[in-house]
């Protein structure tokens, strides 16, 4: 079988209820040349009717599908996603794009085309956003809707502030900060450059994007790419979307994502990231120590920060070493006040950053 230009990699475990909708959505892709897309299904530890559904549907799809069946006692989400993506990489051969999604997701008809366009514009990887299935979302408690809407709003406000204070020319505003395996794409070269998807039990998608950024590769967080995911309360992988939804139903006051920190600390962090990147670019991290004193970083840690050849590594190391840059996550009850504060200061951020350039 000839190598396609793009391959969708899907880890699958006991998805009899949703795998058909997932595959039909991929089969309905538009805006791409015929024969340019393939699908890899990595079925692991399936005990329901998933295998039979796939065996019936795959031969009737317009895109070629490669199916692997594995039973492995040590399986977990990161391992399964890595295995699926590695098989996609092998199929591509020397060039192309790997796309990752989940077996309980439904991608829009322009999903592959939008990801391809972002890579063609210079991105090495593309992260999209997700939305819960509307029917399943309607079954969730009102408190979860209240919290989710405010977390999303506050995240957008912080993301704009970050994108203006510490801009990435390869990921300009408007953008987002969602990183999830249900909608990720990456060039084959970038995938191999960082050693592939980390085979860790939780948070493999976020760890993968962090590896890309730390290596100086370009990740576009495209707000126009939106994938529908399940709103179920019992998932297939610990720590996934289902676990998060269920935990917040059971504990409505559980902490928000660590990135959603108070406005003053967030602005302080973004400003220091900007300064550290510029010092690094000018070769002055190793010759100046004012930044280390201001961040209360020890001399030994400052030497280690300055030694990193890549700015992303240096900034990440500085954040780990500085007691002034420790993340302080919020509780949901704090969100309305922080939203008001962010809305109040954002016009000033826009004005100042426009002047500074």
């Amino acid at each position: 079988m000839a190598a396609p230009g793009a391959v969708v990699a899907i880890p699958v475990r006991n998805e009899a209820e949703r795998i058909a909708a997932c595959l039909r959505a991929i089969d309905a892709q538009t805006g791409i040349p015929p024969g340019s897309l393939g699908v890899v299904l990595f079925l692991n530890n399936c005990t329901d009717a998933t295998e039979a559904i796939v065996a019936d549907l795959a031969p009737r799809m317009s895109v070629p599908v490669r199916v692997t069946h594995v039973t492995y006692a040590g399986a977990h989400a990161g391992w399964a996603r890595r295995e699926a993506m590695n098989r996609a990489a092998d199929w591509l051969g020397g060039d192309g794009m790997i796309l990752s999604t989940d077996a309980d997701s439904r991608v829009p008809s322009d999903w592959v085309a939008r990801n391809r366009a972002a890579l063609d514009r210079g991105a090495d990887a593309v992260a999209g956003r997700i939305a819960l299935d509307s029917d399943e979302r309607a079954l969730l408690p009102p408190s979860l809707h209240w919290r989710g809407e405010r977390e999303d709003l506050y995240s957008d406000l912080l993301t704009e502030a970050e994108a203006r204070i510490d801009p990435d020319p390869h990921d300009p505003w408007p953008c987002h900060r969602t990183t999830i395996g249900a909608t990720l794409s990456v060039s084959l070269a970038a995938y191999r450059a960082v050693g592939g998807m980390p085979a860790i039990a939780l948070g493999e998608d976020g760890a993968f994007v962090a590896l890309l950024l730390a290596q100086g590769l370009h990740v576009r967080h495209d707000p126009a790419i939106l994938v529908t995911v399940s709103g179920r309360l019992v998932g297939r992988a610990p720590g996934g979307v289902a676990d998060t939804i269920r935990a917040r139903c059971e504990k409505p006051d559980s902490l928000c994502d660590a990135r959603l920190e108070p406005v003053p600390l967030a602005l302080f962090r973004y400003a220091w990231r900007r300064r550290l990147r510029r010092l690094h670019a000018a070769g002055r991290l190793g010759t100046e120590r004012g930044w280390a004193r201001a961040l209360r970083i020890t001399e030994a840690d400052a030497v280690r920060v300055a030694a990193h050849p890549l700015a992303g590594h240096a900034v990440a190391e500085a954040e780990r070493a500085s007691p002034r840059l420790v993340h302080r996550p919020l509780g949901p009850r704090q969100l309305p006040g922080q939203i008001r504060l962010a809305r109040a200061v954002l016009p000033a951020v826009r004005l100042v950053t426009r002047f500074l350039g």
Side-chain angles (χ1 to χ4, degrees):
M1 189 181 298
V7 177
V8 182
I10 311 175
V12 185
R13 181 185 179 191
N14 287 347
E15 291 290 358
E17 294 181 5
R18 295 174 170 86
I19 188 62
C22 171
L23 292 178
R24 290 191 183 103
I26 292 171
D27 203 31
Q29 294 300 295
T30 60
I32 57 174
S36 65
L37 183 65
V39 178
V40 165
L41 298 178
F42 184 73
L43 277 60
N44 66 100
N45 301 296
C46 290
T47 57
D48 64 357
T50 298
E51 293 188 8
I53 294 170
V54 167
D56 175 66
L57 183 58
R60 295 186 283 113
M61 292 177 60
S62 64
V63 297
V65 180
R66 289 186 174 182
V67 184
T68 299
H69 304 263
V70 174
T71 299
Y72 175 47
H76 55 68
W79 167 82
R81 195 175 305 282
R82 178 184 175 88
E83 290 294 320
M85 295 181 76
N86 283 352
R87 283 163 172 75
D90 291 342
W91 192 357
L92 287 171
D95 192 19
M97 173 177 64
I98 305 169
L99 300 108
S100 167
T101 192
D102 291 332
D104 66 329
S105 301
R106 300 192 307 277
V107 301
S109 60
D110 61 355
W111 182 62
V112 174
R114 283 188 179 275
N115 278 275
R116 169 52 66 194
L119 262 65
D120 288 344
R121 289 192 294 267
D124 296 298
V126 185
R129 298 183 300 123
I130 61 169
L132 295 183
D133 175 270
S134 58
D135 291 338
E136 295 179 342
R137 184 180 185 275
L139 301 176
L140 299 173
S143 62
L144 198 67
H145 295 304
W146 181 93
R147 173 176 177 157
E149 290 164 1
R150 282 151 186 80
E151 284 197 25
D152 289 347
L153 173 57
Y154 188 49
S155 178
D156 287 344
L157 293 169
L158 288 188
T159 298
E160 181 180 355
E162 180 185 21
R164 294 186 184 280
I165 294 170
D166 182 30
D168 179 351
H170 301 282
D171 195 20
W173 177 258
C175 54
H176 63 89
R177 287 297 176 264
T178 299
T179 301
I180 189 166
T183 175
L184 274 177
S185 67
V186 60
S187 72
L188 179 60
Y191 184 75
R192 288 180 168 158
V194 298
M197 178 65 61
I200 56 178
L202 298 175
E204 78 286 351
D205 36 21
F208 178 65
V209 169
L211 284 174
L212 293 167
L213 292 172
Q215 290 293 333
L217 296 168
H218 306 146
V219 180
R220 172 61 176 151
H221 294 80
D222 193 334
I225 298 175
L226 183 67
V227 168
T228 301
V229 301
S230 169
R232 63 191 177 191
L233 299 180
V234 180
R236 303 297 179 263
V241 173
D243 276 5
T244 299
I245 294 173
R246 188 177 67 255
R248 292 183 175 185
C249 288
E250 295 171 351
K251 297 181 180 180
D253 289 329
S254 59
L255 290 176
C256 302
D257 184 270
R259 201 183 80 83
L260 301 185
E261 55 191 344
V263 170
L265 178 55
L267 298 182
F268 181 79
R269 183 183 308 283
Y270 307 152
W272 270 105
R273 285 177 180 169
R274 175 191 178 108
R275 182 175 176 186
L276 290 170
R277 288 187 215 282
R278 297 196 172 201
L279 287 171
H280 186 279
R284 292 160 49 197
L285 272 182
T287 59
E288 297 184 11
R289 283 294 185 267
W291 61 269
R293 290 191 295 272
L295 293 176
R296 299 176 191 165
I297 294 176
T298 66
E299 178 64 22
D301 285 337
V303 170
R304 188 167 59 252
V305 170
H308 284 292
L310 295 174
H313 283 160
V315 172
E317 185 66 31
E319 291 196 60
R320 284 190 292 267
S322 172
R324 299 192 67 189
L325 293 175
V326 174
H327 278 280
R328 296 180 178 85
L330 301 170
R333 296 175 187 270
Q334 296 172 271
L335 288 172
Q338 293 299 316
I339 289 170
R340 289 193 294 272
L341 181 56
R343 281 174 162 164
V345 303
L346 196 50
V349 169
R350 293 171 184 147
L351 181 64
V352 171
T353 53
R354 189 179 302 119
F355 175 76
L356 293 176

